[in-house]
Amino acid sequence: MNNGVPHPKKKTTLGPVAGEVSLDGIEVTQVIQDMNHTVPLIANKRTVVRVYLSRPAGASLTVRGEIAVRTTPNGPAQTIPSLDTVLLKAEQNGKLRLKRESLSLSLNFRLPESLTRPGRIFIRLSGLKKATTGAVVPLPKTLPEVAVEFQTSAPLRVRLVRLRYQSGNPPVSRVATAQDLALIKSWLLRAYPVSQVIAAEVTVDANIGPPFDRDDGTNDCNEANAQISALRNLDISGGMDKRTHYYGLVADGGGFMRGCANLIPASPNPAAVASGPCGPDDFGWDTDGSYGDWYTGHELGHTFGRKHIGSGCGETNDDPLYPFPKGQLSKADGAFVGFDVGDTALGRPMTVMPGVAWHDVMSYCTNQWMSSYTFKGLLKRLQAEGQLSAGPTPAGDEAGSTTDAAAAAEMEVQMDSGSFINIVATVNLTRGTGKIMYVNPVANILLPAPDEASRALLRVRTADGQLIQEYPAVIKLNSCIEPGRDEKGVVDMAIPYESSMRVLELVLDGNVIDTYRAGAPPPEIGNIRRQPAAEALSDAADTGAASDLVSFQWDVAGGGAADALADAESSNVSYNVQVSADGGNTWQTVAVGRKTPDATIDRTQFPDASHIIVRVIATNGFDNSVATTDAMPVNSL
């Protein structure tokens, strides 16, 4: 007889007694978080709950668990099982930072989307079991409950422009791959403060090519941004969503082009564009197969007003408010820990990023992710731009337009409709040079506020040289200038159309640095027809299936292809090609500034369309000649 004293062995067979497992804390994370939950949680975004446990007494123990989640303090609870198990060791007791910085040292729970809707939820640890036997592990009688709130966010609207160029001998086409695009969209969804990335892709022939970043200041991201700006302006004129940010991708198969944005807007301005390289290089730390993801996150961040943070890794020190040293995600206390929910479809695992070892995406450091500071800044800007409507901004006194008009009033640019001429030029402030790259008539435009103190202006003249008007030109400066390199930028402006205008002069510091003359009226065009894709494009390994490439040609009045090219070069005639996938309601640009009467497009750009309409615009900058096809089935192109 043992007089009621439990047999010593019974303690181990029944499992630990109450008090032998304790709760260190509960963290709800999406991208970056601290234990006080100071980083906003985005509604409908993939969310993970991390539960940290200690083993005050007894041998090591491997457990799995459940949490109970309520949407009201006293409402019914939904039970969620852990994704994994955790080994509890006495030597880890009280070491919360150690556990937060290792995915394997926490019990992790993925919240269903139904529990991440806007509003509050209440979370508590509701049960633990031994992983080996399923025996219940007693919990302390009282456990703290964590309450967090999810807030809505505007979607990230982005158009990824694959700038296709040729290099090599024999020449082959280089273009961002499907893997680049997939990883970029996945990274933006995982790291940006959004639950939805509305991403579209378009492939256009680049008007630049290798070698990139030449010593004469050409063939760089500044010129790429000029092409992206001209393309975007044609899209907006064609009825596309004015809230969309545009980003140009340049594959590094023929050489590396350093990326940049053409503007870091101080207030909402979706007209800011950026471009950058992509490819498989790992930069010593990125092993997912493309560095285009975080590189895009950086340059796109500039278009949302995010500046370089001065980490000491080589970028400029433009943001004195960045709160963490050396570009880190956290101070030395490790309070903030990055968290990547992963993407199983792309082989990206769930990952924890210790705040002192990882760095903000607006730095030039290795191991880049999103800091709480940048996350909050992006969220604020996204919310502001999300108040805008997709199309032209209506007047404030029209029914239902007050919110949109108020949001537009906070922008650096204003939407206007009418007859305008869009001029896109590059300028080199260091050398005092520049070039008018694109001149196109447009009907809808985002107009920047005049900069009366600008060093540049645009002079408009008649064919015989009579001055019509002078307009201050806003210079959008390159965001990523290397030390010792030229200071460059893009002029992107629109002026009211006048029938007598025929000459444009780009003036910098009082000197005319480039002149654009309209020349003859644009020729009549017609007979738009499909042709086999160019052999160099079809044979390129990184362009996708050759069967997805469709080339179009068209006739030009007054001569064949050779005559059309000669006429285009002598009279400033160029061709823009647009496609409508909705019966002509909106038009997306697939070629801009072409000098030859042909263009190659990728049919995969229209995944949801059964038919498309193609239109070709011949322009001398002030007047257009337009030809349009009938609706064509996409599957028979």
Side-chain angles (χ1 to χ4, degrees):
M1 299 293 293
N2 58 11
N3 296 321
V5 177
H7 192 284
K9 292 184 178 180
K10 288 187 178 180
K11 186 175 182 180
T12 58
T13 57
L14 293 177
V17 298
E20 291 189 346
V21 174
S22 60
L23 176 65
D24 296 338
I26 296 176
E27 178 180 2
V28 186
T29 185
Q30 294 175 329
V31 178
I32 182 87
Q33 195 57 272
D34 63 358
M35 291 303 295
N36 294 320
H37 296 103
T38 62
V39 180
L41 294 170
I42 306 303
N44 303 315
K45 187 176 180 67
R46 185 171 291 184
T47 306
V48 172
V49 177
R50 304 185 68 195
V51 174
Y52 307 107
L53 303 168
S54 282
R55 177 82 159 128
S60 298
L61 180 67
T62 301
V63 298
R64 64 176 64 254
E66 292 179 340
I67 55 174
V69 184
R70 292 177 170 84
T71 56
T72 59
N74 300 311
Q78 182 172 340
T79 300
I80 301 169
S82 60
L83 298 171
D84 46 17
T85 63
V86 64
L87 174 62
L88 306 180
K89 298 180 180 180
E91 57 264 33
Q92 296 169 353
N93 290 344
K95 297 180 179 179
L96 179 59
R97 177 174 176 176
L98 175 70
K99 298 169 187 176
R100 295 185 67 221
E101 294 181 350
S102 173
L103 188 66
S104 65
L105 297 182
S106 60
L107 269 183
N108 305 300
F109 304 79
R110 180 175 295 154
L111 291 181
E113 188 172 338
S114 60
L115 291 175
T116 64
R117 293 169 182 164
R120 290 170 66 83
I121 62 171
F122 305 84
I123 306 168
R124 66 178 179 85
L125 179 64
S126 59
L128 290 177
K129 293 181 180 180
K130 292 181 66 175
T132 53
T133 66
V136 173
V137 177
L139 293 171
K141 292 181 179 180
T142 57
L143 286 173
E145 186 174 63
V146 171
V148 294
E149 184 168 1
F150 292 91
Q151 66 178 73
T152 58
S153 171
L156 172 60
R157 298 175 174 89
V158 60
R159 193 160 181 82
L160 300 172
V161 183
R162 300 199 294 178
L163 292 172
R164 179 175 53 211
Y165 66 93
Q166 293 187 355
S167 68
N169 188 18
V172 295
S173 183
R174 310 291 185 183
V175 70
T177 66
Q179 183 181 26
D180 290 319
L181 293 173
L183 287 167
I184 288 169
K185 289 184 286 187
S186 175
W187 193 96
L188 293 174
L189 181 60
R190 285 152 35 215
Y192 266 54
V194 296
S195 61
Q196 185 181 15
V197 174
I198 302 174
E201 305 95 43
V202 61
T203 304
V204 302
D205 288 320
N207 295 332
I208 62 172
F212 299 111
D213 302 329
R214 297 176 185 174
D215 290 338
D216 63 358
T218 62
N219 266 41
D220 58 8
C221 60
N222 207 48
E223 292 190 357
N225 286 339
Q227 182 174 357
I228 301 298
S229 294
L231 184 148
R232 186 186 190 281
N233 293 330
L234 288 169
D235 276 3
I236 302 306
S237 185
M240 300 294 283
D241 193 331
K242 72 173 184 281
R243 299 167 295 182
T244 303
H245 285 243
Y246 278 55
Y247 185 78
L249 290 164
V250 179
D252 65 7
F256 183 85
M257 185 202 77
R258 186 182 179 92
C260 66
N262 72 347
L263 182 66
I264 305 178
S267 61
N269 183 353
V273 305
S275 59
C278 58
D281 196 341
D282 63 12
F283 280 78
W285 63 273
D286 179 16
T287 60
D288 65 5
S290 175
Y291 62 84
D293 45 14
W294 52 266
Y295 208 121
T296 298
H298 175 101
E299 300 299 350
L300 200 62
H302 285 314
T303 70
F304 285 101
R306 308 318 305 162
K307 301 177 182 178
H308 290 145
I309 60 173
S311 65
C313 294
E315 82 278 5
T316 50
N317 187 7
D318 302 325
D319 191 347
L321 299 180
Y322 189 75
F324 309 120
K326 301 178 181 179
Q328 297 170 182
L329 304 182
S330 179
K331 295 179 180 178
D333 59 5
F336 287 93
V337 174
F339 193 87
D340 184 353
V341 297
D343 188 331
T344 54
L346 295 175
R348 302 308 305 147
M350 194 178 290
T351 307
V352 170
M353 293 94 153
V356 297
W358 284 73
H359 306 90
D360 185 67
V361 70
M362 300 313 298
S363 74
Y364 285 177
C365 299
T366 59
N367 297 329
Q368 289 193 15
W369 190 241
M370 188 72 64
S371 72
S372 57
Y373 177 80
T374 299
F375 187 94
K376 293 176 183 178
L378 288 170
L379 177 60
K380 182 178 180 180
R381 182 62 60 87
L382 279 159
Q383 301 290 53
E385 292 188 7
Q387 297 298 312
L388 295 166
S389 63
T393 301
D397 58 355
E398 295 182 10
S401 67
T402 305
T403 299
D404 192 52
E410 300 299 321
M411 296 177 61
E412 293 184 357
V413 287
Q414 295 293 303
M415 192 78 180
D416 206 352
S417 299
S419 296
F420 298 95
I421 303 299
N422 174 229
I423 302 99
V424 180
T426 58
V427 293
N428 187 315
L429 300 180
T430 303
R431 299 171 186 251
T433 59
K435 182 173 179 58
I436 298 173
M437 306 286 290
Y438 305 93
V439 183
N440 289 300
V442 293
N444 301 308
I445 193 70
L446 286 167
L447 293 168
D451 180 6
E452 300 296 338
S454 174
R455 295 172 56 183
L457 61 84
L458 191 75
R459 210 172 269 154
V460 186
R461 298 184 183 275
T462 62
D464 60 2
Q466 297 297 312
L467 179 65
I468 298 175
Q469 187 62 273
E470 291 183 345
Y471 298 91
V474 176
I475 301 175
K476 300 178 179 181
L477 291 177
N478 182 332
S479 66
C480 296
I481 300 173
E482 294 180 86
R485 302 287 287 187
D486 294 352
E487 185 179 25
K488 293 178 289 186
V490 170
V491 169
D492 178 10
M493 61 186 299
I495 59 176
Y497 171 79
E498 294 186 33
S499 59
S500 61
M501 57 175 52
R502 283 295 178 269
V503 179
L504 302 172
E505 293 177 347
L506 181 62
V507 181
L508 182 65
D509 296 330
N511 300 314
V512 177
I513 58 176
D514 194 32
T515 301
Y516 180 96
R517 291 180 172 83
E524 293 297 320
I525 54 179
N527 190 24
I528 304 171
R529 59 199 180 276
R530 176 183 172 173
Q531 294 292 319
E535 183 177 350
L537 294 176
S538 300
D539 292 345
D542 51 3
T543 59
S547 60
D548 291 333
L549 301 177
V550 183
S551 288
F552 287 92
Q553 293 182 342
W554 49 90
D555 293 336
V556 179
D563 294 333
L565 175 59
D567 179 67
E569 291 179 340
S570 63
S571 62
N572 269 337
V573 170
S574 62
Y575 303 100
N576 303 319
V577 182
Q578 295 184 312
V579 172
S580 176
D582 57 10
N585 292 319
T586 60
W587 295 89
Q588 51 186 300
T589 308
V590 295
V592 60
R594 295 283 294 171
K595 288 297 184 180
T596 57
D598 56 56
T600 299
I601 67 175
D602 188 336
R603 78 173 79 232
T604 62
Q605 297 167 183
F606 320 105
D608 300 322
S610 60
H611 292 72
I612 63 170
I613 305 172
V614 177
R615 75 177 178 188
V616 178
I617 304 169
T619 184
N620 65 358
F622 302 98
D623 303 297
N624 285 342
S625 173
V626 182
T628 305
T629 68
D630 294 329
M632 299 178 290
V634 174
N635 58 12
S636 64
L637 288 178

